[in-house]
Amino acid sequence: MAYPQAASSSTTSGSPPTVKVILTETDLQRVVDRIAHQILEKTDGADGTVLLGIPTRGVPLARRLAARIAAFESVDVPVGVLDVTLYRDDLRLKATRAIGPTDLPPGGIDGRRVILVDDVLFSGRTVRAALDALSDLGRPSSVQLAVIVDRGHRELPIRADYVGKNIPTARTEIVKVTLAETDGIDEVKLLGEETGTK
């Protein structure tokens, strides 16, 4: 991405990218707890519900939600993994991606309420890919979406049913979610425009 040159010829580089912490570890724990409560309220106690995490960070988030639901109501919600790599519409535009496993819980998804879990909702294209992948795996009774962050800029008519935090962003900013299971720390940051696009 090109940037206009500074007026002074002595300036050879731009300002460092801005970094703002949106959610701390404690904040993230509260968000997961809140979403877990909302799922219980909106699904009649999570009866007939399956959580499917979208790799990478949607998977540990789905497991956390299941653990919190069990802690609140002693309900064991099945958790699975839904890899959407082959269903993405940008495969021809980006470098080759490794195909991950899709692991459905026992009993599959037919006739069950499926809640897709991801870290960030942006354009909606990952969720569209997940819906396409689901159609090849079974026929759920309904499909819902839970995300930690909704950053806007949708390119498809897709919305989340459960949102931890809505964050207004510029398209050139990056929302970076890190989790203890994958990154060693729980945190959500907003990286400024100089860092590029997600």
Side-chain angles (χ1 to χ4, degrees):
M1 179 176 180
Y3 295 93
Q5 294 183 348
S8 172
S9 59
S10 61
T11 302
T12 57
S13 61
S15 302
T18 58
V19 178
K20 181 179 180 181
V21 176
I22 303 297
L23 295 174
T24 64
E25 178 181 0
T26 301
D27 295 332
L28 194 54
Q29 290 173 352
R30 289 173 180 161
V31 163
V32 171
D33 282 357
R34 185 169 72 249
I35 293 176
H37 278 299
Q38 290 173 348
I39 289 174
L40 285 166
E41 291 170 3
K42 293 183 179 181
T43 62
D44 296 323
D47 182 51
T49 298
V50 173
L51 298 173
L52 292 184
I54 300 174
T56 298
R57 291 166 186 83
V59 177
L61 287 171
R63 291 171 180 152
R64 290 191 193 189
L65 285 170
R68 299 311 292 157
I69 289 171
F72 295 145
E73 294 292 339
S74 300
V75 176
D76 291 327
V77 178
V79 179
V81 179
L82 182 66
D83 183 75
V84 303
T85 302
L86 292 178
Y87 296 86
R88 297 187 63 93
D89 60 7
D90 59 359
L91 283 177
R92 294 173 297 141
L93 305 177
K94 295 186 177 181
T96 303
R97 300 167 182 253
I99 299 174
T102 287
D103 182 18
L104 297 183
I109 61 173
D110 288 338
R112 305 168 95 173
R113 178 189 301 106
V114 170
I115 300 179
L116 300 172
V117 182
D118 206 0
D119 54 353
V120 179
L121 178 57
F122 187 11
S123 68
R125 294 183 180 274
T126 297
V127 178
R128 182 207 61 80
L131 293 172
D132 287 347
L134 275 181
S135 68
D136 283 348
L137 297 172
R139 184 180 174 85
S141 62
S142 64
V143 180
Q144 297 179 345
L145 174 64
V147 298
I148 296 300
V149 174
D150 184 344
R151 59 165 297 177
H153 303 292
R154 212 76 74 244
E155 296 172 1
L156 298 170
I158 288 173
R159 67 171 180 82
D161 301 272
Y162 312 96
V163 179
K165 189 174 184 65
N166 290 285
I167 301 177
T169 65
R171 277 189 170 274
T172 50
E173 291 177 314
I174 292 176
V175 175
K176 185 174 180 61
V177 176
T178 56
L179 300 176
E181 295 92 332
T182 56
D183 311 286
I185 186 174
D186 282 348
E187 199 170 55
V188 179
K189 292 181 179 179
L190 180 65
L191 282 63
E193 297 185 9
E194 290 82 359
T195 61
T197 59
K198 181 177 179 181

